Amino acid sequence: MRSRRRFIKQVAVITAAASLPHFHVGEGRAQAAEQSGQIPRRPFGRTGVEVSILGMGGHTLALARTEADAVRMVHEGMEAGMNFMDNAWEYHDGRSEEWMGKALKGRRTEAFLMTKVCTHGRDAKVAMQQLEESLRRLQTDHIDLWQVHEVIYDNDPDLHFAKGGVIEALDQAKKQGKVRFVGFTGHKDPSIHLKMLGHDYPFDSCQMPLGVFDATFRSFEQKVLPELNRRGIAPIAMKSLNGTAEAVKQGMLTAKEALTYVLSLPVATLVSGMNSLDVLHKNLEIARTFTPMKPEAMQALRERCAKHAADGHFELYKSSKKFDGNPGREHHGFPPLTAMAD
C-alpha cells in the first residue's frame, strides 16, 4: 500500500494536470486522412500501436437487425480504416463476441481487437475461463486488449487487486501470449478510476465516459484524463452521446458536435455505439472529415450545455444504477435491472 504522503502527492499532480490546456490532433494529419478517405489514427498510449479514432461498439453491434448486417457493419468500418473493435464477454450472453468473430474471420490481422473480462469481483480462475470463452467466440488465439469491465462499485478496486483477483489473471494471460495489452473500464465516478490507478499497476488503457456533459458533472475529463496522459495510458472514450442521445434528440447539440468535441480531447479512440448501417455511415463521415475544435469553441459548447448537465440527469450511468449491467448487480447483491423501478 502506498503511504498517505504519496497519495496526497499524486492527487496534487492530478489536480495540476487537470488545468493544462487540451492536446489537439494535428490538423495536417486529419486533413491527410480526409483526403485519403480513411479514418485518422492515433498512438495507443505508450504501446507503439496506432488505432482508428473511431471504434466499433460491441454492445450495440449485437442490436443490428441481423447477423449479416452486423458482419457488414464491421466490414464497411474496416474498409473505411476503422481497426478498433470493442466487445465484452457478457454482452448479450456472448452474441456480440460471436457476431464479431464471424465478421473478423479471415480479417483478424486488420483489427485491433478488444474485449472485456467480467468477473465483477470474482477470482482469477473465473477470469481465465471467460478468456477462453471469448477467444472461442471471437475465433482468435489472442486478444489485443483485455480490459476489466465495469469498475463502478466503490469496493471494486479492492476486489480486483486482492490476492487471487482478476489482476492476477491479466498478468497470467499476458505471460501465456493470449493477451497483448490490458486495461479497465467504468462509467460511474472518477474517484473509482483514480483508486484503480492508485495501485500503480502498469495498465495500457483506461475506458471512461467523455463528452460535453461530462465536463460539468463528475468529470472524467477534468479528473482522470490528465493523469492517463501523464502516465502514457491510452484513454478510450465512450458514451459521447450520454448513452441515449437524449440531449441530441432535444436539440441541445448535434451528434457531430458531440463526437467532434470528444475527438478533440487527448484520447486514443472513441468507442461509439452503432446498431445499423445508417448510424455507421453517419459516424464514419464525422470521423473521416474530423477537424479538431478550437479551445474557445469547446469552451463555448461546454457553457451552452452546463446548465443542463449540472444535476447529472443526462448522465444516468453516473447518477443512477440505470446503466449498471446485471452480471455486476448480481455479484454485488443488487436486484437485476428488470426488477428495478424506473
Side-chain angles (χ1 to χ4, degrees):
M1 296 292 292
R2 298 180 308 151
S3 67
R4 178 175 176 79
R5 180 181 300 173
R6 189 179 178 194
F7 174 78
I8 293 172
K9 181 179 179 181
Q10 184 186 36
V11 171
V13 169
I14 294 169
T15 303
S19 65
L20 294 175
H22 288 307
F23 159 86
H24 295 278
V25 178
E27 290 189 15
R29 188 171 183 176
Q31 289 170 354
E34 181 181 351
Q35 290 170 0
S36 70
Q38 294 288 294
I39 296 173
R41 294 190 178 184
R42 294 180 183 171
F44 193 69
R46 58 175 179 268
T47 64
V49 174
E50 288 199 341
V51 297
S52 53
I53 63 172
L54 182 69
M56 178 72 72
H59 187 273
T60 49
L61 180 68
L63 297 177
R65 188 172 55 88
T66 65
E67 178 186 300
D69 281 353
V71 170
R72 184 177 170 187
M73 286 171 62
V74 172
H75 288 174
E76 288 199 16
M78 294 174 78
E79 286 157 12
M82 181 190 296
N83 71 336
F84 193 93
M85 301 292 162
D86 162 272
N87 225 302
W89 173 86
E90 68 187 45
Y91 285 166
H92 300 283
D93 297 320
R95 185 170 79 243
S96 296
E97 288 187 330
E98 289 171 356
W99 284 10
M100 186 166 283
K102 291 179 179 180
L104 294 179
K105 189 172 183 180
R107 305 186 66 169
R108 173 67 182 87
T109 57
E110 299 175 47
F112 184 89
L113 180 59
M114 180 264 279
T115 197
K116 308 178 193 83
V117 55
C118 308
T119 52
H120 301 292
R122 290 171 290 173
D123 62 20
K125 182 178 180 180
V126 172
M128 295 305 291
Q129 290 172 345
Q130 290 184 358
L131 176 59
E132 293 302 323
E133 291 173 4
S134 290
L135 291 170
R136 176 180 54 77
R137 293 169 182 164
L138 291 164
Q139 301 186 42
T140 185
D141 61 356
H142 76 282
I143 304 297
D144 293 300
L145 175 62
W146 199 37
Q147 298 196 113
V148 181
H149 187 222
E150 207 174 55
V151 183
I152 59 174
Y153 296 88
D154 288 348
N155 65 338
D156 273 347
D158 295 331
L159 294 172
H160 296 328
F161 279 95
K163 183 176 177 55
V166 69
I167 299 300
E168 293 186 10
L170 301 187
D171 292 333
Q172 184 180 347
K174 288 203 303 185
K175 288 179 181 177
Q176 293 178 355
K178 295 178 179 179
V179 168
R180 296 175 66 194
F181 308 115
V182 297
F184 71 96
T185 83
H187 59 244
K188 187 64 66 180
D189 194 308
S191 66
I192 300 175
H193 272 53
L194 293 177
K195 191 173 181 181
M196 285 288 285
L197 294 171
H199 285 269
D200 289 331
Y201 182 82
F203 289 113
D204 299 297
S205 66
C206 175
Q207 188 166 339
M208 58 195 164
L210 289 170
V212 179
F213 288 77
D214 168 78
T216 297
F217 181 73
R218 295 182 191 169
S219 180
F220 286 83
E221 175 187 335
Q222 297 298 323
K223 296 180 180 179
V224 180
L225 188 56
E227 178 65 3
L228 298 180
N229 281 286
R230 185 183 73 82
R231 297 190 189 194
I233 298 173
I236 303 171
M238 64 176 173
K239 301 191 185 302
S240 57
L241 299 182
N242 306 123
T244 62
E246 191 59 35
V248 173
K249 295 172 186 176
Q250 293 187 26
M252 295 176 187
L253 76 170
T254 66
K256 183 173 182 178
E257 285 178 317
L259 269 65
T260 302
Y261 177 91
V262 176
L263 293 175
S264 299
L265 294 172
V267 299
T269 188
L270 164 60
V271 170
S272 183
M274 296 172 275
N275 61 1
S276 69
L277 287 164
D278 180 59
V279 175
L280 170 68
H281 294 157
K282 290 176 180 177
N283 284 6
L284 289 176
E285 183 62 18
I286 292 171
R288 281 194 188 104
T289 60
F290 167 70
T291 298
M293 293 179 73
K294 302 296 184 184
E296 55 269 24
M298 296 178 73
Q299 181 60 25
L301 189 56
R302 283 191 288 264
E303 291 174 357
R304 195 169 92 204
C305 296
K307 66 180 180 180
H308 304 290
D311 61 6
H313 76 279
F314 279 107
E315 294 184 286
L316 292 177
Y317 39 83
K318 294 181 183 177
S319 60
S320 75
K321 296 197 66 60
K322 189 175 180 66
F323 283 71
D324 300 356
N326 281 336
R329 288 173 181 272
E330 175 185 350
H331 294 290
H332 279 275
F334 287 87
L337 185 61
T338 52
M340 299 284 286
D342 290 336

mmCIF file of all heavy atoms in Angstrom, residues 7 12 44 50 54 63 67 77 82 149 160 172-173 181 186 195 202 209 241 267 297 318 330 339:
data_model
loop_
_atom_site.group_PDB
_atom_site.id
_atom_site.type_symbol
_atom_site.label_atom_id
_atom_site.label_comp_id
_atom_site.label_asym_id
_atom_site.label_seq_id
_atom_site.Cartn_x
_atom_site.Cartn_y
_atom_site.Cartn_z
ATOM 1 N N PHE A 7 0.020 9.342 -1.591
ATOM 2 C CA PHE A 7 -1.313 9.521 -2.160
ATOM 3 C C PHE A 7 -1.625 11.004 -2.342
ATOM 4 O O PHE A 7 -2.119 11.427 -3.378
ATOM 5 C CB PHE A 7 -2.363 8.882 -1.246
ATOM 6 C CG PHE A 7 -3.768 9.137 -1.679
ATOM 7 C CD1 PHE A 7 -4.324 8.431 -2.730
ATOM 8 C CD2 PHE A 7 -4.530 10.110 -1.048
ATOM 9 C CE1 PHE A 7 -5.616 8.672 -3.151
ATOM 10 C CE2 PHE A 7 -5.821 10.361 -1.465
ATOM 11 C CZ PHE A 7 -6.359 9.634 -2.504
ATOM 12 N N ALA A 12 -2.286 15.843 -5.893
ATOM 13 C CA ALA A 12 -1.829 17.174 -6.271
ATOM 14 C C ALA A 12 -1.408 17.213 -7.728
ATOM 15 O O ALA A 12 -1.681 18.168 -8.460
ATOM 16 C CB ALA A 12 -0.663 17.605 -5.375
ATOM 17 N N PHE A 44 -1.733 4.562 -29.563
ATOM 18 C CA PHE A 44 -2.465 3.959 -28.454
ATOM 19 C C PHE A 44 -1.571 3.991 -27.220
ATOM 20 O O PHE A 44 -0.908 3.021 -26.877
ATOM 21 C CB PHE A 44 -2.885 2.530 -28.810
ATOM 22 C CG PHE A 44 -3.908 1.956 -27.864
ATOM 23 C CD1 PHE A 44 -5.203 2.459 -27.841
ATOM 24 C CD2 PHE A 44 -3.578 0.923 -27.006
ATOM 25 C CE1 PHE A 44 -6.145 1.932 -26.973
ATOM 26 C CE2 PHE A 44 -4.518 0.390 -26.132
ATOM 27 C CZ PHE A 44 -5.807 0.896 -26.115
ATOM 28 N N GLU A 50 -0.993 2.012 -33.352
ATOM 29 C CA GLU A 50 -1.910 3.082 -33.724
ATOM 30 C C GLU A 50 -3.301 2.495 -33.947
ATOM 31 O O GLU A 50 -3.436 1.409 -34.518
ATOM 32 C CB GLU A 50 -1.437 3.807 -34.980
ATOM 33 C CG GLU A 50 -0.224 4.691 -34.747
ATOM 34 C CD GLU A 50 -0.045 5.731 -35.845
ATOM 35 O OE1 GLU A 50 -0.619 5.547 -36.944
ATOM 36 O OE2 GLU A 50 0.674 6.713 -35.604
ATOM 37 N N LEU A 54 -12.102 6.324 -34.303
ATOM 38 C CA LEU A 54 -13.462 5.838 -34.066
ATOM 39 C C LEU A 54 -13.420 4.327 -33.944
ATOM 40 O O LEU A 54 -12.818 3.646 -34.781
ATOM 41 C CB LEU A 54 -14.386 6.235 -35.219
ATOM 42 C CG LEU A 54 -15.856 5.834 -35.087
ATOM 43 C CD1 LEU A 54 -16.537 6.623 -33.974
ATOM 44 C CD2 LEU A 54 -16.597 6.062 -36.415
ATOM 45 N N LEU A 63 -27.164 -5.474 -31.567
ATOM 46 C CA LEU A 63 -28.519 -4.972 -31.723
ATOM 47 C C LEU A 63 -28.856 -4.691 -33.181
ATOM 48 O O LEU A 63 -29.940 -4.193 -33.486
ATOM 49 C CB LEU A 63 -28.702 -3.691 -30.895
ATOM 50 C CG LEU A 63 -28.541 -3.843 -29.388
ATOM 51 C CD1 LEU A 63 -28.665 -2.488 -28.703
ATOM 52 C CD2 LEU A 63 -29.557 -4.826 -28.819
ATOM 53 N N GLU A 67 -27.574 -10.837 -38.093
ATOM 54 C CA GLU A 67 -26.144 -11.141 -38.026
ATOM 55 C C GLU A 67 -25.441 -10.656 -39.289
ATOM 56 O O GLU A 67 -24.328 -10.104 -39.225
ATOM 57 C CB GLU A 67 -25.944 -12.650 -37.872
ATOM 58 C CG GLU A 67 -24.485 -13.086 -37.849
ATOM 59 C CD GLU A 67 -24.344 -14.594 -37.843
ATOM 60 O OE1 GLU A 67 -24.856 -15.232 -36.894
ATOM 61 O OE2 GLU A 67 -23.724 -15.143 -38.792
ATOM 62 N N GLY A 77 -16.803 -0.722 -41.823
ATOM 63 C CA GLY A 77 -15.977 0.078 -40.934
ATOM 64 C C GLY A 77 -14.501 -0.140 -41.197
ATOM 65 O O GLY A 77 -13.713 0.811 -41.273
ATOM 66 N N MET A 82 -11.358 1.826 -39.983
ATOM 67 C CA MET A 82 -11.633 1.552 -38.574
ATOM 68 C C MET A 82 -11.006 0.218 -38.179
ATOM 69 O O MET A 82 -11.353 -0.821 -38.757
ATOM 70 C CB MET A 82 -13.144 1.510 -38.318
ATOM 71 C CG MET A 82 -13.515 1.261 -36.858
ATOM 72 S SD MET A 82 -15.293 0.941 -36.644
ATOM 73 C CE MET A 82 -15.993 2.488 -37.165
ATOM 74 N N HIS A 149 -13.919 -5.155 -16.876
ATOM 75 C CA HIS A 149 -15.158 -4.471 -17.260
ATOM 76 C C HIS A 149 -15.886 -3.847 -16.078
ATOM 77 O O HIS A 149 -15.944 -4.411 -14.997
ATOM 78 C CB HIS A 149 -16.099 -5.486 -17.933
ATOM 79 C CG HIS A 149 -17.323 -4.881 -18.528
ATOM 80 N ND1 HIS A 149 -18.567 -5.463 -18.416
ATOM 81 C CD2 HIS A 149 -17.512 -3.742 -19.248
ATOM 82 C CE1 HIS A 149 -19.466 -4.721 -19.052
ATOM 83 N NE2 HIS A 149 -18.847 -3.670 -19.566
ATOM 84 N N HIS A 160 -10.588 -6.321 -7.137
ATOM 85 C CA HIS A 160 -9.785 -6.680 -8.306
ATOM 86 C C HIS A 160 -8.312 -6.890 -7.959
ATOM 87 O O HIS A 160 -7.651 -7.757 -8.535
ATOM 88 C CB HIS A 160 -9.921 -5.603 -9.381
ATOM 89 C CG HIS A 160 -11.306 -5.459 -9.922
ATOM 90 N ND1 HIS A 160 -12.184 -6.522 -10.031
ATOM 91 C CD2 HIS A 160 -11.988 -4.369 -10.378
ATOM 92 C CE1 HIS A 160 -13.332 -6.110 -10.538
ATOM 93 N NE2 HIS A 160 -13.235 -4.803 -10.761
ATOM 94 N N GLN A 172 -1.303 -13.306 -15.929
ATOM 95 C CA GLN A 172 -1.205 -14.678 -16.443
ATOM 96 C C GLN A 172 -1.493 -14.726 -17.945
ATOM 97 O O GLN A 172 -0.774 -15.395 -18.701
ATOM 98 C CB GLN A 172 -2.188 -15.575 -15.689
ATOM 99 C CG GLN A 172 -2.110 -17.049 -16.086
ATOM 100 C CD GLN A 172 -3.101 -17.907 -15.301
ATOM 101 O OE1 GLN A 172 -3.682 -17.466 -14.307
ATOM 102 N NE2 GLN A 172 -3.302 -19.137 -15.752
ATOM 103 N N ALA A 173 -2.525 -14.030 -18.370
ATOM 104 C CA ALA A 173 -2.901 -14.038 -19.791
ATOM 105 C C ALA A 173 -1.802 -13.432 -20.659
ATOM 106 O O ALA A 173 -1.538 -13.911 -21.769
ATOM 107 C CB ALA A 173 -4.208 -13.284 -19.979
ATOM 108 N N PHE A 181 -2.248 -6.420 -24.431
ATOM 109 C CA PHE A 181 -2.330 -5.251 -23.558
ATOM 110 C C PHE A 181 -3.522 -5.391 -22.619
ATOM 111 O O PHE A 181 -4.454 -6.144 -22.903
ATOM 112 C CB PHE A 181 -2.467 -3.971 -24.390
ATOM 113 C CG PHE A 181 -1.419 -3.821 -25.461
ATOM 114 C CD1 PHE A 181 -1.773 -3.836 -26.807
ATOM 115 C CD2 PHE A 181 -0.083 -3.687 -25.129
ATOM 116 C CE1 PHE A 181 -0.816 -3.697 -27.798
ATOM 117 C CE2 PHE A 181 0.885 -3.562 -26.108
ATOM 118 C CZ PHE A 181 0.529 -3.571 -27.450
ATOM 119 N N GLY A 186 -15.052 1.750 -16.869
ATOM 120 C CA GLY A 186 -16.048 2.115 -15.859
ATOM 121 C C GLY A 186 -16.748 3.384 -16.260
ATOM 122 O O GLY A 186 -16.219 4.194 -17.034
ATOM 123 N N LYS A 195 -8.814 5.437 -7.905
ATOM 124 C CA LYS A 195 -8.445 4.398 -6.939
ATOM 125 C C LYS A 195 -7.783 3.221 -7.653
ATOM 126 O O LYS A 195 -6.815 2.647 -7.150
ATOM 127 C CB LYS A 195 -9.680 3.941 -6.162
ATOM 128 C CG LYS A 195 -9.347 3.051 -4.967
ATOM 129 C CD LYS A 195 -10.588 2.761 -4.132
ATOM 130 C CE LYS A 195 -10.232 1.897 -2.919
ATOM 131 N NZ LYS A 195 -11.435 1.578 -2.099
ATOM 132 N N PRO A 202 0.708 -1.378 -14.148
ATOM 133 C CA PRO A 202 1.036 -0.889 -15.494
ATOM 134 C C PRO A 202 -0.073 -1.121 -16.522
ATOM 135 O O PRO A 202 0.099 -1.850 -17.506
ATOM 136 C CB PRO A 202 2.303 -1.659 -15.847
ATOM 137 C CG PRO A 202 2.163 -2.958 -15.111
ATOM 138 C CD PRO A 202 1.511 -2.582 -13.799
ATOM 139 N N PRO A 209 -16.471 7.419 -19.699
ATOM 140 C CA PRO A 209 -17.383 8.315 -20.417
ATOM 141 C C PRO A 209 -16.768 9.697 -20.562
ATOM 142 O O PRO A 209 -16.273 10.282 -19.597
ATOM 143 C CB PRO A 209 -18.623 8.349 -19.514
ATOM 144 C CG PRO A 209 -18.111 8.024 -18.154
ATOM 145 C CD PRO A 209 -16.958 7.096 -18.357
ATOM 146 N N LEU A 241 -22.618 10.371 -26.551
ATOM 147 C CA LEU A 241 -23.998 10.847 -26.678
ATOM 148 C C LEU A 241 -24.801 10.535 -25.420
ATOM 149 O O LEU A 241 -26.033 10.441 -25.453
ATOM 150 C CB LEU A 241 -24.676 10.233 -27.906
ATOM 151 C CG LEU A 241 -24.034 10.540 -29.262
ATOM 152 C CD1 LEU A 241 -24.844 9.905 -30.389
ATOM 153 C CD2 LEU A 241 -23.897 12.032 -29.489
ATOM 154 N N VAL A 267 -7.583 11.786 -26.503
ATOM 155 C CA VAL A 267 -7.964 10.379 -26.383
ATOM 156 C C VAL A 267 -7.350 9.591 -27.536
ATOM 157 O O VAL A 267 -7.035 10.147 -28.583
ATOM 158 C CB VAL A 267 -9.500 10.198 -26.378
ATOM 159 C CG1 VAL A 267 -10.118 10.925 -25.191
ATOM 160 C CG2 VAL A 267 -10.118 10.686 -27.681
ATOM 161 N N ALA A 297 -14.062 27.165 -28.997
ATOM 162 C CA ALA A 297 -15.310 26.539 -29.435
ATOM 163 C C ALA A 297 -15.726 25.436 -28.461
ATOM 164 O O ALA A 297 -16.925 25.263 -28.179
ATOM 165 C CB ALA A 297 -15.145 25.964 -30.839
ATOM 166 N N LYS A 318 -23.867 7.676 -14.390
ATOM 167 C CA LYS A 318 -23.137 8.191 -13.226
ATOM 168 C C LYS A 318 -24.057 8.368 -12.021
ATOM 169 O O LYS A 318 -23.674 8.056 -10.890
ATOM 170 C CB LYS A 318 -22.511 9.558 -13.546
ATOM 171 C CG LYS A 318 -21.413 9.575 -14.586
ATOM 172 C CD LYS A 318 -20.909 11.010 -14.749
ATOM 173 C CE LYS A 318 -19.861 11.139 -15.830
ATOM 174 N NZ LYS A 318 -19.444 12.557 -16.027
ATOM 175 N N GLU A 330 -25.643 -8.665 -9.880
ATOM 176 C CA GLU A 330 -25.800 -9.962 -9.216
ATOM 177 C C GLU A 330 -24.674 -10.217 -8.223
ATOM 178 O O GLU A 330 -24.921 -10.619 -7.080
ATOM 179 C CB GLU A 330 -25.830 -11.076 -10.264
ATOM 180 C CG GLU A 330 -25.880 -12.483 -9.669
ATOM 181 C CD GLU A 330 -25.777 -13.563 -10.721
ATOM 182 O OE1 GLU A 330 -25.866 -13.235 -11.931
ATOM 183 O OE2 GLU A 330 -25.587 -14.733 -10.334
ATOM 184 N N ALA A 339 -35.998 -5.832 -12.561
ATOM 185 C CA ALA A 339 -36.775 -5.779 -11.331
ATOM 186 C C ALA A 339 -36.721 -4.412 -10.656
ATOM 187 O O ALA A 339 -37.369 -4.173 -9.644
ATOM 188 C CB ALA A 339 -36.266 -6.840 -10.346
#
